[in-house]
Amino acid sequence: QVQVVESGGGLVQTGGSLRLSCTASIFTFGDYAMGWFRQSAGGKEREGIASITGRSGRTLYSDSVRGRFTISKDIAKKTVYMQMNSLKPEDTAMYYCAAGYGHQWCADVATVTYWGQGTQVTVSS
């Protein structure tokens, strides 16, 4: 059974940084595009904010995080990371790691094969 497990969330002040990690127990991890999504309280839909391709490691970012967040991965460790800098209160959300098979990107909920359980990020003003 595949498990996708995030860690690294927490409470940080405006302007601070956090690094999220996600380990996926997928046998062919390198064949999956990986992505980070977030969902804020209040029922807004889950938003894809960063994705990295399976083998080439190309990256894609939403306008809301480009220039502040960096996605990376270590295929040998089956782990994807997201370095989040210059955090703002509007970044407060539950952050989910996802793996998508058969797509170049994992940046939309329709491309997700496996979801993690989420890790909370709270940015205080």
Side-chain angles (χ1 to χ4, degrees):
Q1 183 175 355
V2 171
Q3 288 188 311
V4 179
V5 181
E6 305 97 331
S7 62
L11 174 65
V12 65
Q13 292 184 331
T14 296
S17 298
L18 282 174
R19 188 194 195 204
L20 304 183
S21 299
C22 167
T23 300
S25 62
I26 300 173
F27 183 71
T28 55
F29 178 81
D31 291 337
Y32 283 71
M34 300 297 295
W36 286 98
F37 292 71
R38 67 184 181 187
Q39 187 168 24
S40 57
K44 289 183 65 177
E45 63 183 23
R46 202 166 290 189
E47 172 194 15
I49 58 172
S51 182
I52 188 165
T53 56
R55 293 289 176 181
S56 65
R58 292 172 59 203
T59 58
L60 180 71
Y61 299 95
S62 67
D63 290 342
S64 60
V65 307
R66 187 179 298 112
R68 299 186 299 123
F69 293 9
T70 302
I71 188 171
S72 61
K73 67 178 183 179
D74 185 327
I75 293 178
K77 294 182 178 179
K78 300 187 178 183
T79 300
V80 62
Y81 307 96
M82 188 158 71
Q83 178 67 40
M84 306 187 295
N85 298 328
S86 303
L87 283 161
K88 307 173 183 179
E90 51 263 45
D91 294 318
T92 295
M94 184 70 78
Y95 283 70
Y96 297 90
C97 179
Y101 184 77
H103 302 278
Q104 181 180 21
W105 304 108
C106 185
D108 182 89
V109 294
T111 63
V112 176
T113 306
Y114 301 110
W115 287 103
Q117 83 288 347
T119 186
Q120 178 69 38
V121 172
T122 302
V123 185
S124 63
S125 57

